[in-house]
Amino acid sequence: MDWAGSFWMALGLVLVIEGFFPFVSPTGWRRVFTQILQLRDGQIRFCALLSMLAGALVLLFL
């Protein structure tokens, strides 16, 4: 599989994973989203940084 095919497959997988929780539990997703809105910018950035580092590590080990 070429690079473009891998990119679109990865993007599709992200969209499936992102949509799973709101589909299964919209009320729970709304509650979590409301709690996220109450976080400060620095807390959100720190969580985003951890997420990016975890993703980079996964890609490194593939």
Side-chain angles (χ1 to χ4, degrees):
M1 180 178 293
D2 63 341
W3 186 89
S6 296
F7 172 78
W8 290 113
M9 186 175 292
L11 181 62
L13 184 58
V14 166
L15 292 173
V16 168
I17 291 170
E18 288 282 329
F20 182 75
F21 188 53
F23 178 76
V24 172
S25 178
T27 305
W29 179 82
R30 189 175 288 117
R31 187 173 42 248
V32 168
F33 195 74
T34 303
Q35 291 174 348
I36 290 172
L37 287 174
Q38 296 173 358
L39 295 175
R40 294 187 313 264
D41 287 350
Q43 292 172 312
I44 294 172
R45 284 191 176 112
F46 181 72
C47 290
L49 176 63
L50 290 179
S51 177
M52 290 187 303
L53 289 174
L57 284 173
V58 168
L59 291 174
L60 182 67
F61 288 120
L62 288 180

